[in-house]
Amino acid sequence: MVIVTTTVRRDVLTLPAAPLGPENPLPPLRPLREVHTLDERGRQGLPRDMARQLGYEPLRGILPTRVLDGYGRERTETTLDTLVIENDRLRATVLPGFGGRVHSLFHKPTGRELLYRNPVLQPAAFALNGAWFSGGIEWNIGATGHTTLSCAPLHAARVTAPDGGEMLRLWEWERLRDVPFQVDLWLPEGSDFLHVGVRIRNPHEKAVPVYWWSNIAVPQERRVLAPADEAWHFGYEGGLRRVAVPETGGVDRTYPPRSEYAADYFYDVPDRARRWIAALDDDGHGLVQTSTDLLRGRKLFVWGSGTGGQRWQEWLTEPGTGGYAEIQAGLARTQLEHVRLDSESEFTWLESYGPLSADPALVHGGDWPAAREEARARLADALPRAAVEEAYDAWRPCADTEPGEVLATGSGWGALEVLRADHKLPGTPFAEGTLGPEQEPWLELLHSGAVPEPRRVAPPGPTLVAPHWRDMLETAPARPVAEYHLGVAQWHAGDRAQAVRSWERGLELAPSRWPLLRCLAVADQDSDHIERAADRYAEAFDDLCQERRDDGTLWTSASAALGREAIGVLLAAGRQAAARGVWERLPESTRAEGRFRLVEVQLLLAEGERDAARAIFDEGFEVADLREGAEVLGELWHAATDEKLPARYDYRMRAASEE
């Protein structure tokens, strides 16, 4: 008999992918535009603990991260590094350079892919900071929405598993909430289930809000089963209401294709019930996910069968390859909540993923209790609840095991934080060797108390905004770059007046004026001084054009980002000629991008050129960074013509009557 042991190895995957492109060099100062929000009226009548967590430190913005919006829609065959963990039963393929996404979970005995495996890698503006892609299992940490690490590299290494074999560890420093986390993928020999141990640590002296949802893409032609008779429904009209499971409005919503519009269903799993969720096909086969009890929430997301939902499916995948739905598991009942993690403490839990087969006559027979009980019983046979608890108990002491061979490298931000505070984080080393050029100015601030002035003219690097860094900036010598970064940190903290004073001080001596002018323009716009904002945006773009050194990626990205914002504010101020002047100074390659064809439509409509605006729609264009829930295409179409919105431009995620 040949004994196949669990292995962790490097490999590569080739598939059509659109390059991510450069980061947007402008600091994201504006409030987060998040579609998953409720106003005070929407929270009335909710359970007390849910209402409290809905209001617990919602994210104000995405600083210190930057927006990723430089990608396009042109895909080419691309080779991606992967890490593969497998035994004789399962093979999990992980993308360490893309948030540690599990791209594939393949069950060898049946030859079945258990996930929706996207045949392409197409970035789209669904993450909190922009670029995100669909498919597989993603690890969402930070705040309501898709993580800023969706398209970022994680650290990865081999670790000794609880059974003495090999385990794959992923880890990084989550910057929105300033906390480290780890994900350990463990596949016991002979097991049909991939165990995933997760730990989020708070090394600080005060509590922090945390968020976690494991997001699992599955083919949409499934029935989704969970141990609940009710769910909290969130639609893109913005309401949260309790509904019955499985039927709402006379339709069984546990079959994703039967919903017309995109929606979330957060299953209200009873407190003592086992946590699990499954998606099974017509033959009763599919995937099940279960966990220890800390991961309490379970959710189904559907795109809906309407034109907008189907258009998004095609946008994110490839026409003709089949749609998908998402089943999810999280720390709270809904994704609109954040959970308190006390100082110097941690959350840990274990998830398990594997195949499930059940009697199709019971699963699809129409009786919800019978279908749910059949899935529960088959899960109990395949992986008893006690076995998950035992696996968690076995993994927990291994969470501190120091990694062995390094398989991938993440960012240097964790290393900077460890140097700053001398954090002790067994099991997740943030080595000084991972520090890079982006961390260098902050390392100098840490050691010398001063922010270095740049050696060459270039757009400013990223700003750190946590209180400890803001304190250091406030005591640093008041040089222009230090004042720029200090203003950004103060703005993020809500001290808008002090931020403006810092930027104004920096402007007096700054050799490079446009970054400070742009920040001041945002402040003017925020305080409804639209004319002054327009003045400053125009001056900032003039200064950038004079300072621009070349047509390389960095300067082109800065010109595009600043030009796009400037045109929008100039049009809002009724200055069509000035907006046209900015447009004409943008690089030709930039003006040809789909997102700038949209800007051109806006410009033409402001100039009264309705037919010319309609002609751009007729030529066809694609806005690569169109945001989730955005309806701007429909709005501009109706401003240009009285005709019905074509399907190619219809991305509506709600009924027209709800607009």
Side-chain angles (χ1 to χ4, degrees):
M1 177 185 297
V2 177
I3 299 177
V4 180
T5 58
T6 301
T7 60
V8 174
R9 58 183 171 85
R10 289 189 177 95
D11 207 338
V12 295
L13 170 70
T14 300
L15 77 171
L20 286 175
E23 289 183 331
N24 187 321
L26 306 184
L29 300 176
R30 291 185 172 83
L32 181 69
R33 182 192 168 279
E34 172 53 46
V35 296
H36 299 89
T37 57
L38 288 179
D39 57 22
E40 287 299 324
R41 185 174 61 180
R43 296 174 191 172
Q44 294 176 4
L46 299 178
R48 185 174 300 176
D49 63 330
M50 182 186 292
R52 182 178 65 251
Q53 291 182 164
L54 282 168
Y56 178 44
E57 294 197 32
L59 203 63
R60 291 191 300 270
I62 65 165
L63 285 164
T65 64
R66 288 178 148 188
V67 174
L68 272 171
D69 60 2
Y71 51 86
R73 296 284 300 170
E74 185 175 339
R75 297 189 287 263
T76 58
E77 290 296 313
T78 304
T79 299
L80 306 174
D81 291 330
T82 66
L83 299 172
V84 178
I85 177 169
E86 69 178 312
N87 63 7
D88 59 332
R89 311 285 296 177
L90 277 180
R91 180 171 65 246
T93 302
V94 177
L95 301 176
F98 290 85
R101 181 82 59 101
V102 178
H103 175 72
S104 167
L105 188 61
F106 183 74
H107 188 234
K108 296 180 181 181
T110 60
R112 295 193 187 102
E113 173 60 53
L114 301 181
L115 305 173
Y116 174 79
R117 184 176 57 192
N118 199 333
V120 302
L121 197 159
Q122 175 58 60
F126 279 70
L128 290 167
N129 63 334
W132 172 85
F133 65 104
S134 63
I137 306 171
E138 61 174 312
W139 318 112
N140 286 302
I141 181 173
T144 299
H146 292 283
T147 177
T148 61
L149 296 166
S150 292
C151 293
L154 302 191
H155 301 282
R158 295 182 206 273
V159 184
T160 301
D163 58 2
E166 291 188 333
M167 182 165 66
L168 174 61
R169 174 162 299 161
L170 307 166
W171 73 99
E172 195 34 290
W173 198 280
E174 200 289 308
R175 302 177 66 208
L176 296 181
R177 301 304 195 183
D178 209 20
V179 294
F181 72 100
Q182 72 189 76
V183 178
D184 288 353
L185 290 89
W186 168 36
L187 190 51
E189 185 175 329
S191 175
D192 278 326
F193 283 85
L194 174 69
H195 295 319
V196 180
V198 183
R199 173 163 64 173
I200 304 173
R201 290 193 270 202
N202 177 11
H204 307 296
E205 294 179 351
K206 66 174 186 176
V208 296
V210 299
Y211 169 94
W212 183 279
W213 281 81
S214 301
N215 186 357
I216 310 136
V218 293
Q220 68 176 351
E221 297 295 336
R222 300 286 187 271
R223 189 179 200 191
V224 174
L225 301 144
D229 290 315
E230 292 183 313
W232 293 95
H233 169 273
F234 181 86
Y236 282 74
E237 72 280 3
L240 185 66
R241 59 190 175 91
R242 195 191 294 267
V243 298
V245 176
E247 288 193 7
T248 303
V251 177
D252 189 334
R253 307 291 177 173
T254 62
Y255 290 91
R258 297 183 184 178
S259 292
E260 186 175 1
Y261 295 103
D264 300 322
Y265 293 91
F266 300 102
Y267 294 114
D268 202 355
V269 179
D271 286 343
R272 292 184 176 82
R274 184 179 184 182
R275 273 77 168 123
W276 61 270
I277 190 167
L280 305 181
D281 64 16
D282 290 345
D283 296 323
H285 304 305
L287 171 80
V288 65
Q289 187 270 4
T290 187
S291 71
T292 49
D293 288 351
L294 183 67
L295 203 67
R296 67 175 298 185
R298 292 298 184 275
K299 170 195 163 182
L300 165 65
F301 167 76
V302 298
W303 282 107
S305 60
T307 303
Q310 292 304 301
R311 185 72 183 102
W312 275 118
Q313 291 259 30
E314 294 174 355
W315 186 254
L316 295 169
T317 60
E318 186 74 10
T321 56
Y324 73 95
E326 294 170 356
I327 57 174
Q328 304 186 22
L331 283 173
R333 271 183 287 194
T334 74
Q335 287 177 320
L336 286 68
E337 303 168 65
H338 299 105
V339 180
R340 176 188 172 97
L341 178 56
D342 290 332
S343 63
E344 299 177 341
S345 60
E346 61 186 35
F347 285 148
T348 60
W349 67 88
L350 187 117
E351 307 178 42
S352 299
Y353 297 81
L356 188 70
S357 292
D359 185 343
L362 293 173
V363 168
H364 301 288
D367 184 86
W368 175 248
R372 192 183 59 202
E373 174 58 25
E374 168 66 5
R376 186 208 63 78
R378 298 292 73 77
L379 172 59
D381 293 340
L383 186 68
R385 188 175 189 177
V388 176
E389 296 291 344
E390 291 168 5
Y392 171 75
D393 291 339
W395 165 75
R396 188 63 191 83
C398 299
D400 285 347
T401 301
E402 291 303 321
E405 180 189 1
V406 173
L407 300 172
T409 303
S411 77
W413 297 114
L416 184 66
E417 292 301 326
V418 168
L419 279 174
R420 180 195 63 81
D422 194 29
H423 293 305
K424 306 301 180 186
L425 301 168
T428 53
F430 293 94
E432 287 191 44
T434 62
L435 292 166
E438 287 191 330
Q439 290 81 44
E440 284 179 5
W442 303 96
L443 198 60
E444 184 164 334
L445 174 63
L446 182 63
H447 291 324
S448 72
V451 179
E453 288 293 301
R455 297 189 183 96
R456 62 186 180 88
V457 176
T463 302
L464 297 183
V465 297
H468 39 266
W469 291 107
R470 189 172 70 248
D471 290 345
M472 281 186 263
L473 287 168
E474 288 176 346
T475 59
R479 301 168 184 161
V481 172
E483 295 287 10
Y484 163 82
H485 287 302
L486 175 58
V488 173
Q490 290 166 331
W491 182 270
H492 179 72
D495 193 348
R496 303 298 174 84
Q498 193 60 53
V500 168
R501 285 192 285 271
S502 296
W503 291 327
E504 288 176 340
R505 283 196 306 268
L507 193 61
E508 293 175 3
L509 297 173
S512 179
R513 294 170 54 82
W514 67 265
L516 290 153
L517 286 166
R518 181 263 176 179
C519 290
L520 289 167
V522 172
D524 288 332
Q525 188 180 10
D526 184 69
S527 56
D528 294 324
H529 291 103
I530 192 67
E531 293 292 337
R532 195 166 63 199
D535 288 341
R536 280 177 161 155
Y537 264 120
E539 187 180 355
F541 193 76
D542 287 343
D543 188 69
L544 171 60
C545 290
Q546 293 173 23
E547 185 177 294
R548 190 166 55 202
R549 292 297 187 264
D550 54 46
D551 295 325
T553 300
L554 187 60
W555 284 109
T556 300
S557 177
S559 299
L562 184 59
R564 196 180 191 184
E565 289 187 8
I567 291 172
V569 172
L570 288 165
L571 289 179
R575 301 187 190 179
Q576 290 90 341
R580 174 64 67 178
V582 172
W583 169 264
E584 290 174 349
R585 282 177 289 170
L586 290 170
E588 185 177 349
S589 59
T590 296
R591 296 200 303 265
E593 295 176 10
R595 56 183 176 156
F596 280 90
R597 299 308 304 276
L598 180 70
V599 171
E600 188 177 9
V601 169
Q602 294 169 319
L603 185 55
L604 288 167
L605 287 170
E607 293 170 333
E609 299 291 341
R610 198 166 182 247
D611 291 343
R614 166 62 191 268
I616 292 176
F617 276 109
D618 291 341
E619 291 172 16
F621 62 94
E622 293 182 322
V623 184
D625 63 339
L626 193 67
R627 288 293 296 180
E628 176 185 12
E631 297 174 353
V632 63
L633 284 173
E635 293 166 359
L636 292 177
W637 170 266
H638 291 303
T641 178
D642 297 326
E643 297 178 21
K644 181 181 177 182
L645 180 67
R648 66 182 299 185
Y649 296 123
D650 189 351
Y651 294 86
R652 289 173 295 186
M653 300 176 75
R654 56 181 180 166
S657 61
E658 295 166 350
E659 295 178 4

